[in-house]
């Protein structure tokens, strides 16, 4: 039986591990953006070098390359914005947020991690805001843990569907694995998700559906600080 | 170095497209693949002086692709070019049989020189194998 201090240390270590994992993934993604911009500017240098040796400058090509540089600069900027939003998630233990935005932010930051598993995540956001007052960082960690559980259980190209259902004083997050699979295969991750749901004042259950299973994370719409 | 034949393997297609153009401007013949299985098909159909391979790709990753490339052609020169360089991954790639391990972004001159070295090394290996084969035939027939 762990003491309260041991539990807190375990939680902190797991939180840090997730934070580090997201940051490592984003830094990899950002390195890709920098590399592409570097190659594109290198191509411009190559073309300038050829022009110095008498070959005419291909104006259309220059325009294409500079447009691509702009495109990847925007990609890099967006990545930084998402990373910034994620990083500030640890500023306050309890904060009011729109759950749609948190999901959108997390899906951008983890896009590459899902892609590496050849997984797809379909999320149709409700038109109106889904307000929730909770630990912004922990809710994202719980979300990603549920995606990983769904991917682990699945066939080679996991297809995930995400639905959020605002109820009276609560919010249900439904993560379905819809391309078959054996159900929850990692007891350790399931335990982690259950602990996270508990820390968020909610609970987690799993239901079989026709083509797979659904993980349901039920959270209170308002979690008071210190709960 | 004239007309080296190179295969670029990376899931960032904008990267392979641009690097391909730059290497072509340096008189190389360049093919690209965005995943391991496509790279293996191209390696089956062509003889490349060097393969430039990323480590992290969806589906078959770089290490698995490297293993299969070398199973198909033990003399294949493979340069790992990764944006996710860790010491352990680098060691694993070299132990598996990669010729070099480079981190993105890479200086084009450094990469060009390495491709030149890889092409020369491949030529030496192929010549050694030819000489060995001729030697074996001569011994077998007692000439």
């Amino acid at each position: 039986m762990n003491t309260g201090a041991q539990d807190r240390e375990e939680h902190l270590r797991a939180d840090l591990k997730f934070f580090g994992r997201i940051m490592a993934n984003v830094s990899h993604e950002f390195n890709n953006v920098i590399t592409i911009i570097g190659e594109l500017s290198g191509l411009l240098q190559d073309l300038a070098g050829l022009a110095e040796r008498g070959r005419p400058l291909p104006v259309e090509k220059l325009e294409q390359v500079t447009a691509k540089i702009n495109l990847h600069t925007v990609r890099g900027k967006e990545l930084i914005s998402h990373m910034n939003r994620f990083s500030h998630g640890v500023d306050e233990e309890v904060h009011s947020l729109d759950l749609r935005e948190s999901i959108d932010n997390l899906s951008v930051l983890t896009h590459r991690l899902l892609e590496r598993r050849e997984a797809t995540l379909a999320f149709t956001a409700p038109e109106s805001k889904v307000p929730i007052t909770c630990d912004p960082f922990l809710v994202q960690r719980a979300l990603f843990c549920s995606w990983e559980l769904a991917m682990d259980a699945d066939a080679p190209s996991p297809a995930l569907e995400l639905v959020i259902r605002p109820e009276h004083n609560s919010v249900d997050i439904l993560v379905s694995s819809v391309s078959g699979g054996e159900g929850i295969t990692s007891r350790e991750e399931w335990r982690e998700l259950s602990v996270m749901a508990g820390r968020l004042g909610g609970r987690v259950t799993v239901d079989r559906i026709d083509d797979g299973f659904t993980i349901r994370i039920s959270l209170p719409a308002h979690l008071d600080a210190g709960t | 170095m004239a007309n080296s034949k190179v295969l670029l393997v990376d899931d960032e297609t904008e990267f392979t497209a641009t690097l391909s153009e730059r290497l072509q401007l340096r008189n190389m013949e360049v093919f690209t693949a965005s995943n391991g299985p496509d790279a293996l098909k191209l390696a089956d159909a062509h003889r490349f002086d060097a393969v430039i391979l990323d480590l992290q790709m969806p589906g078959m990753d770089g290490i698995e692709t490297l293993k299969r490339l070398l199973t198909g052609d033990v003399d294949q020169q493979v340069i790992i070019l990764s944006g996710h360089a860790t010491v352990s991954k680098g060691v694993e790639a070299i132990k598996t049989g990669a010729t070099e391990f480079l981190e993105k972004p890479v200086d084009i001159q450094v990469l060009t020189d390495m491709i030149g070295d890889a092409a020369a090394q491949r030529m030496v290996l192929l010549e050694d194998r030819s000489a060995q084969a001729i030697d074996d035939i001569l011994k077998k027939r007692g000439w």
Side-chain angles (χ1 to χ4, degrees):
Chain A
M1 179 76 76
N2 280 357
T3 64
Q6 280 173 326
D7 279 344
R8 276 194 296 279
E9 195 179 321
E10 255 183 42
H11 294 161
L12 190 61
R13 190 175 293 275
D15 286 349
L16 269 174
K17 202 172 158 188
F18 176 66
F19 193 88
R21 194 169 166 206
I22 296 296
M23 285 299 131
N25 182 58
V26 174
S27 68
H28 177 50
E29 192 77 6
F30 200 67
N31 194 52
N32 276 338
V33 172
I34 288 170
T35 300
I36 291 169
I37 292 173
E39 289 302 331
L40 288 164
S41 66
L43 183 56
L44 290 179
Q45 273 180 329
D46 290 347
L47 295 173
L50 289 171
E52 276 175 10
R53 295 200 290 277
R55 189 160 139 177
L57 265 178
V59 176
E60 202 177 322
K61 182 76 190 169
L62 295 184
E63 285 171 352
Q64 278 174 7
V65 174
T66 48
K68 282 179 183 177
I69 289 175
N70 287 336
L71 198 75
H72 286 282
T73 307
V74 170
R75 179 185 163 195
K77 175 73 185 80
E78 283 175 355
L79 203 55
I80 288 172
S81 299
H82 284 286
M83 185 179 72
N84 191 266
R85 211 170 297 153
F86 176 78
S87 303
H88 282 295
V90 295
D91 290 350
E92 294 172 81
E93 279 183 30
V94 176
H95 188 70
S96 296
L97 52 92
D98 179 359
L99 190 57
R100 299 172 312 167
E101 284 180 7
S102 294
I103 291 170
D104 177 57
N105 201 48
L106 185 68
S107 60
V108 170
L109 294 176
T110 59
H111 166 74
R112 177 72 64 159
L113 293 172
L114 267 68
E115 195 181 67
R116 216 174 290 149
R117 301 278 301 267
E118 296 182 282
T120 55
L121 175 72
F123 172 52
T124 311
E127 282 185 14
S128 52
K129 279 187 173 185
V130 182
I132 180 168
T133 306
C134 64
D135 180 335
F137 171 76
L138 193 57
V139 82
Q140 291 186 84
R141 200 187 136 211
L143 273 165
F144 189 67
C145 186
S146 68
W147 300 353
E148 286 210 301
L149 274 166
M151 285 192 287
D152 286 346
D154 230 337
S157 298
L160 313 185
E161 284 180 4
L162 177 59
V163 173
I164 45 178
R165 283 200 195 132
E167 306 283 346
H168 181 63
N169 286 335
S170 68
V171 179
D172 276 358
I173 302 166
L174 306 167
V175 179
S176 300
S177 159
V178 293
S179 49
E182 297 170 9
I184 302 298
T185 54
S186 169
R187 282 172 185 272
E188 183 56 30
E189 277 186 31
W190 177 254
R191 192 190 70 84
E192 271 188 41
L193 181 59
S194 304
V195 170
M196 278 185 267
R199 286 169 68 193
L200 287 160
R203 65 195 185 94
V204 59
T205 54
V206 63
D207 301 309
R208 292 298 306 187
I209 54 172
D210 284 348
D211 301 324
F213 61 93
T214 296
I215 298 167
R216 179 191 299 263
I217 307 170
S218 304
L219 301 177
H222 296 280
L223 181 69
D224 296 330
T227 304
Chain B
M1 177 189 36
N3 298 325
S4 285
K5 196 166 171 180
V6 178
L7 172 61
L8 299 179
V9 191
D10 198 306
D11 61 322
E12 279 281 356
T13 52
E14 189 74 75
F15 170 69
T16 50
T18 311
L19 184 57
S20 168
E21 276 191 79
R22 299 191 72 197
L23 294 175
Q24 283 171 39
L25 288 172
R26 288 160 176 79
N27 294 323
M28 293 185 209
E29 189 182 357
V30 186
F31 291 71
T32 61
S34 60
N35 56 58
D38 285 353
L40 295 173
K41 276 184 207 154
L42 283 167
D44 268 350
H46 301 268
R47 178 176 280 187
F48 293 106
D49 293 305
V51 176
I52 317 294
L53 178 65
D54 187 20
L55 280 182
Q56 290 204 334
M57 294 182 290
M60 189 189 295
D61 70 4
I63 294 289
E64 185 58 31
T65 307
L66 171 64
K67 284 179 187 166
R68 295 197 192 189
L69 281 167
L70 294 174
T71 303
D73 178 356
V74 73
D75 296 330
Q76 183 63 68
Q77 303 294 294
V78 181
I79 299 166
I80 301 291
L81 180 55
S82 177
H84 202 72
T86 60
V87 174
S88 62
K89 273 288 168 196
V91 169
E92 188 183 357
I94 296 294
K95 275 187 178 171
T96 305
T99 317
E100 295 284 354
F101 189 94
L102 294 173
E103 201 173 348
K104 288 181 191 168
V106 66
D107 183 280
I108 191 79
Q109 192 55 51
V110 171
L111 184 62
T112 306
D113 290 346
M114 273 189 187
I115 292 170
D117 292 346
Q121 177 64 17
R122 182 168 174 76
M123 186 68 79
V124 169
L125 288 169
L126 289 174
E127 280 173 1
D128 283 354
R129 279 191 202 287
S130 298
Q132 185 65 50
I134 291 167
D135 207 32
D136 287 348
I137 291 167
L138 292 177
K139 276 183 190 158
K140 210 179 272 180
R141 304 210 170 171
W143 291 342

